[in-house]
Amino acid sequence: MDENIDLTPKNDVIFKKLFGDQRHPKFLIALLNAILKPESPIKKVTIKNPELTPEFVGQKGVRLDVLAETEDSHMINVEIQKKDEKNMRNRVPFNAAKVLVAEATQGQEYQNMKKVTTINIINFKLFDSDNYWNKFFLMNPETGEKLTDLLAIHFFELPKVHGPSIDEPVTFWLEFIKDPEAQQVKGDYKWNCIYDELKQHYDDIVADPEVRELIRVRDKAERDYNSAILQARMDGEEIAKKKFEKEQAKAQKKFEKEREKAEVKAQKALEKAEAKAHQEKIESAKQMLKDGMSENLVIKYSGLSMEEL
C-alpha cells in the first residue's frame, strides 16, 4: 500500500467500491443482514443513484455514499465518515429525510411510503456512552412508544469497537472496515464464511491503478482546499492584526493628545490656585499689619518673605 494514502474501507472511495457496486451486492447484503437482523434475511438489493438532486431552485442537494433498495422496498443509506466535520447530528437526519421525500410519489398513500434507514459508520467518537452502536427512532421518550417505523438511524463508532465477536457479527464488518489487514480480523475470520471472497474483492479494488489515482487526486484536492482555507485564515489574521495595530496607534495618539491637553489645563488651574493663595496671604498680611502686629510675626504667620512684606 502507498504510505501517504489511506487504502482502508474508511476511505469513501474504497467503501463505495466495496459496498456500492451492483456487480458485487453480496457484501452489502451480508453487512445489512448483520446490522438489521430482519426476520426474513435480505436476499437482493438494488443499488440506487446516490445523488439526490434538489427539486426546486435554492434547495440543497445531497450526495450519499451507498443507497440501496431491498426486495420489500426498504431504502437503506450506508455512509462512511472518516473525519469529524462537526455536523453529523444535523446532517444525518437531513439526508434521511431527503431520501424519504425523494422516494415518495405523487398520489401515493402515506401508509405505502418506503421505509428509510440510515447507517452511519464513523471513524470518531460522537456520543458520550461507551456503546459502539447507537440507534435512533421517532418515538415518545417518556413512554417509548414509536411514532412510526418510517425513519431509523444507526451510528457505529469505529474507535469503540474492540475485536470481532461471534455474538455480534456486525463487529467483524466494522473491524474489517477499520483495517482489513489487522491480525485480529485475519485470525477471527473462520466463523465468517464470506471473508475470503470479501478480502479478495478488497485486494482487487486497492490494486486497481485507477482507484489509487482517484484517491490521490481526491486527497490532493482536499489538502489544497485545507491549505487554501489555512492561508485565507492566516491572511485574515494578518489583516486583522495590522488593522488592530493601526487602530491601537490611532488610539494611543489620541490618548497622548488628550493627556497633553489635560496636563496643560491642570497646570493652568494649579498656577491660578497658587496665585489666588498668594494673594490671600498678602491680604491677610495687610490686615495683620493694620492691626498692629509686628513684621516678624506677620512673616511667621503669613509665610511671606521680608521682600514680599
Side-chain angles (χ1 to χ4, degrees):
M1 289 190 181
D2 295 12
E3 293 182 0
N4 298 324
I5 61 175
D6 178 13
L7 291 176
T8 70
K10 295 193 297 293
N11 186 302
D12 62 346
V13 175
I14 303 293
F15 187 86
K16 293 173 188 177
K17 290 283 185 181
L18 195 60
F19 296 106
D21 189 343
Q22 186 64 58
R23 296 169 299 177
H24 304 279
K26 64 173 60 179
F27 307 118
L28 178 61
I29 291 172
L31 174 64
L32 297 181
N33 280 323
I35 293 173
L36 302 177
K37 302 174 183 176
E39 292 183 8
S40 298
I42 299 170
K43 295 180 180 179
K44 182 179 179 181
V45 293
T46 301
I47 306 297
K48 310 281 283 186
N49 183 0
E51 187 163 353
L52 306 180
T53 56
E55 297 180 25
F56 306 102
V57 174
Q59 273 192 332
K60 186 177 178 64
V62 171
R63 184 169 185 82
L64 309 174
D65 286 339
V66 178
L67 180 63
E69 183 175 3
T70 65
E71 292 175 293
D72 58 354
S73 298
H74 183 176
M75 302 300 301
I76 304 173
N77 168 217
V78 187
E79 295 287 311
I80 186 73
Q81 185 66 35
K82 186 176 178 181
K83 297 178 181 179
D84 185 3
E85 298 179 355
K86 310 299 181 184
N87 60 10
M88 290 297 291
R89 292 175 182 266
N90 292 332
R91 191 179 79 185
V92 168
F94 174 82
N95 289 353
K98 288 290 288 186
V99 175
L100 184 67
V101 172
E103 291 300 320
T105 58
Q106 189 173 6
Q108 182 183 36
E109 296 293 336
Y110 286 114
Q111 61 266 30
N112 295 327
M113 293 181 68
K114 295 179 181 179
K115 180 179 178 181
V116 174
T117 295
T118 297
I119 297 169
N120 305 277
I121 303 171
I122 58 180
N123 193 42
F124 50 89
K125 294 180 180 181
L126 182 62
F127 304 103
D128 293 333
S129 73
D130 294 330
N131 300 331
Y132 72 88
W133 187 353
N134 287 279
K135 310 171 191 178
F136 297 90
F137 306 94
L138 293 175
M139 60 187 297
N140 185 328
E142 296 181 359
T143 64
E145 182 179 1
K146 283 187 182 180
L147 174 65
T148 176
D149 285 325
L150 274 181
L151 283 176
I153 297 174
H154 298 253
F155 284 95
F156 293 93
E157 298 167 274
L158 294 179
K160 296 179 181 178
V161 182
H162 301 292
S165 168
I166 296 178
D167 297 329
E168 280 291 356
V170 69
T171 59
F172 162 79
W173 292 93
L174 299 176
E175 287 289 357
F176 187 90
I177 291 169
K178 284 170 66 176
D179 184 5
E181 304 294 340
Q183 193 58 45
Q184 60 183 0
V185 175
K186 295 179 178 180
D188 295 340
Y189 80 90
K190 295 179 181 178
W191 55 269
N192 196 313
C193 58
I194 205 172
Y195 173 82
D196 289 331
E197 195 173 352
L198 174 67
K199 183 62 167 59
Q200 184 59 56
H201 183 44
Y202 164 75
D203 290 341
D204 292 341
I205 291 172
V206 298
D208 187 341
E210 291 185 3
V211 171
R212 288 173 176 264
E213 183 60 23
L214 176 58
I215 293 174
R216 288 193 192 93
V217 171
R218 285 273 304 274
D219 285 356
K220 183 179 184 301
E222 184 176 357
R223 288 195 302 271
D224 290 346
Y225 173 78
N226 292 335
S227 178
I229 292 296
L230 177 61
Q231 187 60 51
R233 183 181 295 116
M234 292 172 63
D235 291 345
E237 291 175 351
E238 184 63 25
I239 292 172
K241 181 182 177 182
K242 289 181 178 179
K243 184 177 180 180
F244 171 75
E245 290 173 348
K246 184 177 179 181
E247 293 296 328
Q248 188 179 43
K250 185 178 178 181
Q252 182 66 26
K253 187 175 180 180
K254 182 178 180 181
F255 169 75
E256 290 175 354
K257 188 175 181 180
E258 293 295 329
R259 185 179 64 182
E260 289 176 1
K261 289 171 62 176
E263 288 176 350
V264 170
K265 187 176 181 180
Q267 183 62 33
K268 288 182 178 180
L270 178 61
E271 292 173 354
K272 185 177 180 180
E274 289 177 345
K276 183 179 179 181
H278 187 69
Q279 185 60 39
E280 288 176 351
K281 288 180 181 181
I282 291 175
E283 295 301 323
S284 178
K286 287 180 179 180
Q287 186 61 46
M288 285 186 280
L289 288 171
K290 186 183 290 187
D291 291 341
M293 189 178 290
S294 68
E295 290 181 352
N296 289 336
L297 286 176
V298 173
I299 291 173
K300 178 179 179 181
Y301 291 118
S302 68
L304 296 174
S305 67
M306 178 61 74
E307 289 77 11
E308 289 173 317
L309 186 61

